[in-house]
Amino acid sequence: MFGNNKVVAPPPDKLMKELARRGPNKVDRGDLGIVGMSGQIFAPRTGSDLPAVAFAHGWLVGSARYRDLLFHLASWGIVAAAPDGSRGPFPSDISLGTDLRAAATVAGSVQLGTGRVRVDPNRIGLAGHGFGAAAAVRAASDAVLLGRPPMNVKALATVFPAPTTADLPAAAATVRVPSLVLAGSGHLASMSGNALDLAENVAGDVVLRTLPGADAGDLVETPSVKALIGINGADRAVHKAVRAQLTGFFLHRLTGDEKYAAFSDPELTMGDALAVDLESADRPELDTVSQLLGAKPRSA
């Protein structure tokens, strides 16, 4: 019957391979300095009503260490803005979260490039890596951050999230948008990873997936001449999996394209990204403080 067409999506593993490759769009890079903040922005050369993602960097690194990842999102039609604040040894996730809101507002309110690129302000997502994942949670929360009010966000993605302050779970509990949590299998609940806590506390629909054997450092790029031929210093398998997961999740959640609905299905394993059931996930016997102090579990 007419008007009852159903989207037939490729198998999840095929989607992962498709989205790990560069998309069809030519990409331009810009500098957020023109609006008074440090950082960079990547956008397709043309397009209207586009989705956008504001991305927060990890501890002690800046947006330059994610160039290929941001470029990749833009090649699939997603404007990617990455502020460069809070790069010192004692950063603030609240401060970087405030910068994320500012960067997302810029992306959603101005014409980009030569005026041929415009973002739909109702298609904004947030993402972060490591420490930046906490900043993304702050930005997606309903709290006022350093005077900047909450914003209209449609989706949140955290990659190898790391714990920051004790009130982060409370902030996560006010995040009501769909969320993707992607972590190394050994860092679901550790001194360097809080993926399990985060997935359990966010209030919206959540997808938790792990990459076996991966850790946060595997995603960080090393700018060099080799990057021009695709060798960016990051772990290639991890980088490909993260690229595909972020792209598919945001294409589904920000544009409503049902071809990519699998990326929002919490029960689906997709290639190297393994689905984790929150109810049956194993927690370590010791909390992070006890782990830091070198305590031994009772079963040891």
Side-chain angles (χ1 to χ4, degrees), residues 19-20 68-69 72-73 238-248:
L19 292 185
D68 281 2
L69 178 60
H72 187 87
L73 291 172
V238 171
H239 209 276
K240 288 172 63 176
V242 172
R243 287 199 305 258
Q245 283 288 302
L246 291 186
T247 303

Side-chain angles (χ1 to χ4, degrees), residues 79-261:
V79 173
D84 264 335
S86 298
R87 294 177 59 183
F90 303 106
S92 164
D93 56 356
I94 292 177
S95 179
L96 186 54
T98 306
D99 290 343
L100 275 186
R101 287 183 179 177
T105 299
V106 168
S109 60
V110 302
Q111 290 185 341
L112 304 172
T114 58
R116 294 183 296 172
V117 179
R118 180 171 286 279
V119 167
D120 183 343
N122 294 310
R123 293 180 170 183
I124 300 292
L126 298 170
H129 170 238
F131 155 77
V137 170
R138 298 285 189 182
S141 75
D142 65 2
V144 175
L145 302 180
L146 303 181
R148 186 171 287 272
M151 61 178 299
N152 180 23
V153 177
K154 292 298 182 185
L156 166 70
T158 61
V159 185
F160 302 112
T164 52
T165 56
D167 64 335
L168 186 62
T174 70
V175 176
R176 298 177 177 84
V177 297
S179 299
L180 169 67
V181 181
L182 192 62
S185 56
H187 300 278
L188 283 175
S190 67
M191 290 183 292
S192 60
N194 65 338
L196 197 53
D197 279 340
L198 198 55
E200 289 177 342
N201 279 284
V202 290
D205 294 336
V206 63
V207 176
L208 174 60
R209 294 194 176 102
T210 61
L211 299 175
D215 62 38
D218 292 333
L219 184 65
V220 178
E221 302 164 17
T222 304
S224 69
V225 175
K226 291 182 179 180
L228 298 175
I229 57 173
I231 303 174
N232 61 21
D235 183 282
R236 296 186 67 179
V238 171
H239 209 276
K240 288 172 63 176
V242 172
R243 287 199 305 258
Q245 283 288 302
L246 291 186
T247 303
F249 178 72
F250 283 126
L251 284 176
H252 179 237
R253 289 301 187 180
L254 300 183
T255 73
D257 191 336
E258 289 301 311
K259 175 181 177 180
Y260 304 108

